[in-house]
Amino acid sequence: MATPIVQNKVLLIATILISLSASVFAEEQLAHGSGPALVTPLEPSRSGATADQLGRELLAHNEQRKKALTEYTSLRTYRVIDLKGKVHAEEIGRMEFHAPDKKTFVLTSESGSGLIRHLALSPLITSEIETASGKEHHDSAISPENYALTLLGEQQVGPYRCFVLQAVPRRNDKYLFEGKLWIDVDDYAVVRIEGHPAKKLSFWIERADFVRQYQKINGFWLPQRDETSVQVRLYGNKVLTIDHQDYVVKGVGLQNKEPSTTASEARTRVAIGLH
């Protein structure tokens, strides 16, 4: 049985992660040091590009992709680690999505602290499933109603050429964020997001910074890696990571009638120059 001090620490981490599950990971079409590097300096934007126009294109293309996506499965790895890389808790399993809004998670392995897994990681997964089904709806979309966008320029993110925008929330809401967006210049999809919740999550959380990186599979942009670093009063820094791997994706309208493609096949195509 955990001592009161240890249990309080675990409950604190649980509160942080559950709060972040709602504020950071609720938006399915939303990406720090994880994922492809920002390998080029910021450059001026091409002529004619404006933040308003990019916002409209993003909303329209996201709606098209949402309608076309029928299902996917992916291998998920959830970890809570410290800054030295020590894993305190881990859960691995397969996440399945079926349009329009059904998600299920099948746990395949778990390790580390049972308290952290029970009080933090499991509720985090449950929160995502309930949000997808509309049981917990929060307006966190990247839209003119929620954000003021400013176009900063263009930048390369791994293989993707992107517009870079500053996002400032229009209200003090923990379900919104303040930070930057990288939007693919061809697909008008979010490639990367980094920032922090617009509203302080609690007295105990001095700072929470997140990054979400996306990858393109079968014409759909799906999460690749999430990393959230939380500075906790009295307890220091904790990090939550979520890796999304081995996708199998099915959809209509965006695949040019090609068969479904796994993430590893998609990477092979890029490597040999096929499109």
Side-chain angles (χ1 to χ4, degrees):
M1 181 174 179
T3 66
I5 293 177
V6 173
Q7 192 166 14
N8 285 341
K9 184 175 180 179
V10 172
L11 287 169
L12 180 58
I13 295 172
T15 301
I16 292 166
L17 298 185
I18 293 169
S19 297
L20 288 172
S21 74
S23 63
V24 175
F25 305 125
E27 179 63 36
E28 182 62 27
Q29 280 295 339
L30 292 182
H32 224 213
S34 58
L38 306 178
V39 297
T40 63
L42 190 67
E43 300 175 15
S45 301
R46 61 197 63 191
S47 177
T50 68
D52 288 344
Q53 175 251 335
L54 293 175
R56 290 192 299 269
E57 293 284 2
L58 177 64
L59 285 173
H61 284 75
N62 275 352
E63 187 63 26
Q64 292 174 7
R65 285 184 284 266
K66 180 180 179 180
K67 290 179 179 178
L69 181 62
T70 57
E71 62 182 79
Y72 70 74
T73 65
S74 69
L75 180 68
R76 292 276 188 92
T77 302
Y78 298 80
R79 292 190 180 100
V80 176
I81 63 176
D82 60 26
L83 295 185
K84 295 181 180 180
K86 180 182 178 180
V87 178
H88 293 281
E90 177 182 86
E91 290 195 356
I92 302 174
R94 293 207 68 85
M95 181 69 77
E96 297 185 6
F97 166 80
H98 296 275
D101 58 10
K102 183 180 179 181
K103 281 187 176 181
T104 57
F105 182 77
V106 179
L107 181 69
T108 57
S109 70
E110 55 186 354
S111 60
S113 167
L115 277 174
I116 295 179
R117 287 187 278 108
H118 176 69
L119 296 173
L121 296 184
S122 295
L124 175 68
I125 297 167
T126 299
S127 176
E128 178 180 348
I129 292 171
E130 291 180 346
T131 300
S133 65
K135 293 182 180 179
E136 291 186 10
H137 175 72
H138 303 285
D139 184 11
S140 58
I142 301 174
S143 65
E145 291 76 21
N146 291 332
Y147 294 96
L149 300 177
T150 302
L151 181 58
L152 302 179
E154 295 186 21
Q155 195 169 30
Q156 196 74 19
V157 181
Y160 309 119
R161 184 68 177 178
C162 299
F163 295 109
V164 186
L165 295 94
Q166 185 75 37
V168 178
R170 294 191 183 277
R171 61 184 183 277
N172 192 24
D173 188 328
K174 69 179 182 179
Y175 297 106
L176 302 180
F177 75 96
E178 181 176 2
K180 292 181 181 180
L181 301 170
W182 283 259
I183 298 176
D184 186 83
V185 299
D186 297 316
D187 285 3
Y188 297 101
V190 174
V191 175
R192 177 184 174 97
I193 295 180
E194 63 179 47
H196 56 270
K199 183 180 180 180
K200 189 174 181 179
L201 298 176
S202 79
F203 166 81
W204 291 100
I205 304 174
E206 296 181 334
R207 186 169 181 85
D209 298 300
F210 74 90
V211 176
R212 168 167 275 199
Q213 185 70 40
Y214 282 83
Q215 58 188 318
K216 185 179 181 181
I217 303 172
N218 274 8
F220 299 99
W221 292 82
L222 299 165
Q224 181 177 18
R225 180 175 169 84
D226 299 293
E227 183 174 309
T228 303
S229 176
V230 183
Q231 185 175 348
V232 186
R233 195 182 300 272
L234 302 180
Y235 294 119
N237 291 320
K238 302 299 175 186
V239 179
L240 165 69
T241 64
I242 308 174
D243 288 299
H244 314 250
Q245 300 170 311
D246 298 335
Y247 276 99
V248 178
V249 182
K250 294 181 181 180
V252 294
L254 294 178
Q255 304 169 68
N256 297 322
K257 299 183 180 180
E258 293 180 1
S260 66
T261 305
T262 65
S264 59
E265 289 171 340
R267 288 194 293 269
T268 300
R269 290 188 173 196
V270 171
I272 63 178
L274 296 177
H275 300 286

